Amino acid sequence: MPHLDAEELARVDAWWRAATYLAVGQVHLQMNPLLRRPLVAEDVKPRLLGHWGTCPGLTFVHAHVSRLVRWTGQETLFLTGPGHGGPALAAASWLEGTWTGAHPAATRDEAGMRRLFRDFSAPGGVPSHVSASTPGSIHEGGELGYVLLHAFGAVMDDPRLLAVAVVGDGEAETAPLEGSWKGVSFLDPRRDGAVLPVLHLNGAKLSGPTVLARKRDAELRDLLAGHGYEVVEVAGDDLPGVHHRFAAALASAHQRIRAIQQDARSGRWDGARPRWPVLVLRTPKGWTGPDVVDGRRVAGTHRAHQVPLPRARTDAEHRRALEAWMRSYRPEDLFDDAGRPTPLVLANQPPEDLVLSASPRAHGRRSRPLQLPDWRRLALPVASPGLQRAESTRLLGELLRLTYAGNPTTFRLFSPDETASNRLDAVFGVSDRAFAERVEPDDEHTSASGRVMEVLSEHTCHGWLEGYTLTGRHGLFATYEAFGMVSASQTVQHATWLAEARALPWREPVPSLNVLLTSTAWRGDHNGFSHQGPGLIDVVLAQDPQVARVYLPPDGNTLLAVADHCLRSRGLVNVVAIDEQPQLQWLTASQAAEHCAHGASTWAWAGSEDGDDLRAPDVVLACAGDVMTMEAVAAAQLLRDRLPALRVRVVNVVDLQSLRPPLEHSHGMDEVRFLELFTATTDVVMAFHGHPGTVHQLLHGRPRAERFHVRGFVERGTTTTPFDMTVRGRVSRYHLAMDAVRVSRHLPHGAADLVQWCREQLERHHAHIREHLEDLPEVRDWRLLRAPAHRPPASGPGPAGSSGVR
């Protein structure tokens, strides 16, 4: 790339001034966008919203990265972490022409500029931060801390891509960002692209100084060098000097990246982790904005963070200062008489297919479907329900192994050091763990060329997967159920992004975010309360129903069917909860597909209804979740053996959204189907994997929803035995049997004796676990020994050639 001579400087500076002018205008103006006349009160928005302070630094970096792309042809994603720097990216996209493609009313002329200004942070417009409505973006930046995670996820398995990630110094204080510098410890320069972090230190956040900006230069260099980076520093606000220094630093960093990649890809790499470059850019907060407002210094302080002239509509002095500020960019040199960017401004932009806001990776246009094996070939043969035990997630591990093998550049598993403990270690038959640091002889399945992503940070795993899927690839995030809450806010942010993206025709649907929750609340018994919590289910069910899915497969074959569906799906957040410990198996492959096709089914073989008796059952035992299914079926057997005159129906729910009315969710079963399963009048005792109130919310609007008596997880966890967890939650087989008797439409002879017997069994259990430190043998080793002839769930066939899941 040539030196920044006078001609190049003029191009870069003009583009920067134009974008910065547009950023100021978005925050302040609704009319008179080109200052054709002096500003009057009506030109200024009635509500001034936005965050100015970071914008000039963002447009500065963007201008120089555009020049880099123009000269090198480097395929580049531009990600901005600094909070609400939305005006900067909207301005860049408008100059590049992609904003108009996404928002046709905002044409690239004076009228369109006015529309750009009016739409910013306004009803019916666009948010104040970068969002799905911003072309070229995969990173919102509203919730701080994830920009490097998204950048590293984006470049995995994409050797041609450079992700330039601007890190704000306020954002750099967040825990996820502090933990995300380690991404270089997992990149393979032969196969992956590169991330160039730009740590932008403008000195202040909303109302005070930032930690990194106040560190001595040597301390900051040591910190970043300790993470494995080669630090390149640029500081100042002197023009044109800072242009020259940053252009040289950016060119040097890019050359260093290309040298690392060329050495690795030509066989000259010794396998040691490279020292990737990081740019540290120090410019004043609110650079080029008002120096002093109302007698107080603004530029270079936290006062520039939001709106420097908050009374520009009502205060003539503020309005005159705003006009002088905007005229300082010399808009007459940047926009022609029609309001179009001048040739000088446009001369800094790369070819149309390389402009930063037009990246096909950011818009889902390079995504390919996974090549998936036929999951039925991996299914367990189940001769009779409830007799054999198996580790269900080990079946999933085999599916993931074959998925890795069939998709060597488009699929990855992300897990916080839990691949083996989650019984997914079959993937190591195809790929090692990725690790670019030193590998020692005792390390297992660990190498620089690995593609299984393990790092002990839920934030990092979640963020990497987001970046990977948002750029068109596929993956799965597996974590212990309680610790899904560590990154729950990321799940919410991603669901919100996907929901917004669905309404944008220029964004193609991207692969779904798939989350596997293991070591569930009911089997976190040995770890204690810290490992017991099903809260992510509630979090996801509260999201936009267009994108939120929660599945509770009861066994291995159902898990395979659900996983196949989730991996094929697009634009969703799929949460699947199942434990990795040995558990009873219930359904054959064909029955599992049929069951999943409906979301919920009657398990006739588990109940005690007479198939020829058309009367409604006396009670319905419903269940959702693996342990809950076992307890419900065990309760049904207990009732069948001791109260044979009681007609009991067992209904299993695998898709929680099927409980919703169809007007509230596309998976909601219609009323006819709902009444077929749960009747119109019979009371239902439901054993639920999560918090009981969750099901009550799902059932709102169903016929006589008050007849559902839901039992589930309550906050009474401790270190105990597996069965004692169900006892503490009052959802054990004994509690369910007593509840069934209590709500039954009639009480057969012997009901009181059964209730007394159940209470005695609970007393025996209480004494036994304290004496022997394990569950009663008849509970620990329980199987459905007297199951009738195996019959499929009472439902129609699932879609041919699919998992059956909707």
Side-chain angles (χ1 to χ4, degrees):
M1 188 166 68
H3 175 69
L4 190 68
D5 59 19
E7 183 179 355
E8 282 289 292
L9 173 63
R11 293 171 175 173
V12 173
D13 186 70
W15 194 97
W16 174 52
R17 285 186 288 118
T20 308
Y21 176 91
L22 295 173
V24 179
Q26 289 174 75
V27 174
H28 294 89
L29 298 186
Q30 63 175 344
M31 292 189 290
N32 193 15
L34 285 168
L35 308 180
R36 303 292 193 191
R37 52 176 169 73
L39 285 178
V40 296
E42 290 73 19
D43 295 334
V44 182
K45 293 179 178 181
R47 299 173 68 233
L48 298 185
L49 304 170
H51 297 70
W52 153 252
T54 190
C55 288
L58 293 180
T59 54
F60 181 83
V61 177
H62 200 292
H64 282 271
V65 173
S66 291
R67 174 177 179 261
L68 175 78
V69 173
R70 172 163 54 88
W71 279 103
T72 65
Q74 173 69 61
E75 297 178 38
T76 304
L77 271 180
F78 189 78
L79 298 89
T80 57
H84 298 267
L89 273 293
S93 176
W94 188 85
L95 288 176
E96 291 171 338
T98 53
W99 189 269
T100 303
H103 306 277
T107 49
R108 208 159 39 155
D109 54 23
E110 183 173 7
M113 188 186 301
R114 178 172 177 264
R115 173 55 59 187
L116 172 72
F117 290 2
R118 284 182 58 86
D119 280 350
F120 172 73
S121 199
V126 298
S128 64
H129 45 78
V130 178
S131 68
S133 60
T134 307
S137 61
I138 65 165
H139 175 75
E140 180 168 342
E143 180 170 303
L144 300 176
Y146 312 122
V147 67
L148 280 183
L149 301 178
H150 291 163
F152 279 108
V155 304
M156 292 173 185
D157 295 319
D158 195 344
R160 296 184 300 175
L161 182 63
L162 172 66
V164 176
V166 183
V167 179
D169 48 356
E171 177 185 36
E173 297 179 2
T174 64
L177 199 288
E178 284 275 17
S180 62
W181 294 106
K182 68 176 68 71
V184 289
S185 296
F186 298 88
L187 283 188
D188 182 345
R190 296 165 299 188
R191 179 195 58 230
D192 299 328
V195 173
L196 177 59
V198 180
L199 178 58
H200 181 214
L201 302 178
N202 59 31
K205 44 188 184 282
L206 177 64
S207 57
T210 59
V211 173
L212 294 187
R214 295 293 175 90
K215 283 188 176 293
R216 296 193 303 272
D217 290 348
E219 280 188 330
L220 182 58
R221 283 194 296 270
D222 288 347
L223 176 66
L224 295 173
H227 283 301
Y229 291 90
E230 180 181 279
V231 184
V232 182
E233 299 172 270
V234 177
D237 61 353
D238 56 311
L239 296 170
V242 68
H243 274 305
H244 288 286
R245 294 192 296 278
F246 190 74
L250 183 59
S252 174
H254 183 254
Q255 289 167 4
R256 172 62 180 152
I257 289 169
R258 295 300 299 143
I260 291 170
Q261 293 175 333
Q262 289 167 4
D263 284 349
R265 295 168 191 179
S266 62
R268 297 192 299 271
W269 183 40
D270 62 3
R273 177 187 47 75
R275 295 192 71 83
W276 299 92
V278 57
L279 298 182
V280 177
L281 173 64
R282 294 181 185 267
T283 63
K285 195 174 188 76
W287 184 22
T288 72
D291 288 329
V292 177
V293 176
D294 296 334
R296 306 177 78 186
R297 193 162 68 91
V298 173
T301 76
H302 66 274
R303 300 183 188 95
H305 184 80
Q306 292 179 297
V307 182
L309 297 166
R311 300 193 306 278
R313 185 177 176 92
T314 59
D315 185 311
E317 188 59 37
H318 275 213
R319 196 158 53 250
R320 282 192 292 270
L322 172 61
E323 182 173 342
W325 173 16
M326 296 189 71
R327 291 193 186 279
S328 73
Y329 299 108
R330 304 192 303 279
E332 63 277 6
D333 297 336
L334 308 174
F335 306 99
D336 65 18
D337 291 342
R340 297 184 296 260
T342 62
L344 179 63
V345 172
L346 297 178
N348 187 57
Q349 297 188 169
E352 185 176 340
D353 60 335
L354 287 176
V355 295
L356 299 180
S357 58
S359 171
R361 292 171 175 85
H363 302 152
R365 294 175 189 155
R366 289 201 174 176
S367 181
R368 302 193 305 273
L370 282 177
Q371 300 301 310
L372 289 171
D374 182 353
W375 65 269
R376 293 169 178 78
R377 296 184 178 180
L378 304 173
L380 280 174
V382 178
S384 186
L387 287 180
Q388 68 190 99
R389 293 181 185 273
E391 297 167 325
S392 296
T393 56
R394 201 167 291 283
L395 299 180
L396 176 60
E398 287 297 319
L399 178 67
L400 298 182
R401 178 182 66 83
L402 295 174
T403 303
Y404 257 104
N407 305 271
T409 61
T410 55
F411 176 81
R412 291 201 187 201
L413 169 65
F414 301 80
S415 181
D417 192 31
E418 297 160 3
T419 302
S421 67
N422 288 334
R423 313 301 194 265
L424 304 177
D425 46 322
V427 296
F428 295 135
V430 178
S431 176
D432 289 337
R433 297 176 176 90
F435 199 62
E437 300 292 347
R438 184 177 68 254
V439 176
E440 298 183 350
D442 289 333
D443 295 334
E444 296 181 351
H445 306 298
T446 302
S447 70
S449 61
R451 296 180 58 255
V452 178
M453 309 308 297
E454 282 195 346
V455 61
L456 196 49
S457 165
E458 288 80 7
H459 287 124
T460 300
C461 292
H462 199 296
W464 282 350
L465 176 58
E466 289 180 60
Y468 198 68
T469 57
L470 286 168
T471 50
R473 282 74 56 77
H474 307 253
L476 174 72
F477 168 43
T479 187
Y480 293 171
E481 182 178 48
F483 305 137
M485 290 300 291
V486 173
S487 52
S489 185
Q490 288 176 271
T491 311
V492 171
Q493 294 288 326
H494 192 77
T496 302
W497 176 283
L498 292 177
E500 183 182 2
R502 288 175 69 95
L504 303 172
W506 48 273
R507 283 193 180 272
E508 299 289 337
V510 295
S512 296
L513 183 85
N514 300 308
V515 181
L516 174 70
L517 302 177
T518 61
S519 289
T520 61
W522 302 103
R523 294 306 303 266
D525 49 274
H526 58 295
N527 282 311
F529 187 65
S530 64
H531 283 58
Q532 298 162 7
L536 189 65
I537 290 173
D538 303 304
V539 169
V540 172
L541 288 174
Q543 304 314 302
D544 191 310
Q546 293 186 100
V547 303
R549 307 285 186 269
V550 176
Y551 300 102
L552 298 174
D555 66 359
N557 289 340
T558 314
L559 173 61
L560 288 175
V562 166
D564 179 85
H565 163 75
C566 292
L567 292 172
R568 294 180 190 276
S569 68
R570 289 180 177 269
L572 304 176
V573 172
N574 296 309
V575 171
V576 182
I578 187 170
D579 201 76
E580 78 277 10
Q581 299 293 329
Q583 54 190 201
L584 291 172
Q585 304 296 308
W586 308 102
L587 302 180
T588 66
S590 60
Q591 291 163 353
E594 183 180 348
H595 182 41
C596 291
H598 291 273
S601 302
T602 297
W603 285 8
W605 45 265
S608 56
E609 291 182 278
D610 184 344
D612 297 325
D613 190 343
L614 299 181
R615 292 177 298 168
D618 296 319
V619 66
V620 176
L621 280 178
C623 48
D626 47 3
V627 172
M628 297 298 97
T629 297
M630 179 176 68
E631 291 306 305
V633 174
Q637 183 189 40
L638 189 159
L639 292 168
R640 186 171 63 244
D641 292 347
R642 293 179 173 269
L643 294 178
L646 190 71
R647 298 189 307 279
V648 178
R649 175 180 298 174
V650 175
V651 175
N652 183 265
V653 178
V654 63
D655 179 355
L656 280 186
Q657 299 285 25
S658 69
L659 294 176
R660 290 190 191 271
L663 290 178
E664 295 186 11
H665 199 281
S666 60
H667 284 199
M669 65 181 84
D670 62 34
E671 187 165 334
V672 172
R673 175 69 179 168
F674 187 85
L675 296 179
E676 283 179 355
L677 296 180
F678 299 109
T679 81
T681 58
T682 302
D683 278 30
V684 180
V685 175
M686 183 167 187
F688 175 55
H689 177 91
H691 298 111
T694 302
V695 173
H696 289 298
Q697 293 178 29
L698 295 173
L699 291 170
H700 180 72
R702 290 297 191 180
R704 286 197 57 212
E706 73 279 0
R707 63 195 170 93
F708 282 77
H709 312 275
V710 184
R711 304 289 180 258
F713 184 81
V714 293
E715 308 294 334
R716 295 176 186 164
T718 185
T719 300
T720 186
T721 67
F723 184 67
D724 194 51
M725 284 295 300
T726 67
V727 173
R728 286 174 170 271
R730 300 184 59 83
V731 74
S732 74
R733 60 199 66 181
Y734 304 122
H735 288 97
L736 295 177
M738 289 189 289
D739 279 345
V741 168
R742 178 176 59 84
V743 304
S744 172
R745 63 174 61 230
H746 88 279
L747 293 179
H749 178 70
D753 292 340
L754 171 64
V755 170
Q756 180 59 33
W757 180 82
C758 287
R759 290 172 177 162
E760 292 170 355
Q761 299 313 300
L762 289 170
E763 292 176 1
R764 282 184 62 224
H765 156 78
H766 185 80
H768 183 90
I769 63 173
R770 281 154 181 78
E771 174 68 21
H772 300 283
L773 309 182
E774 62 179 351
D775 287 321
L776 288 160
E778 63 265 34
V779 171
R780 184 187 66 229
D781 302 326
W782 180 84
R783 284 169 171 74
L784 187 60
L785 298 178
R786 285 178 288 179
H790 204 281
R791 286 182 284 172
S795 56
S802 75
S803 62
V805 186
R806 292 172 298 171

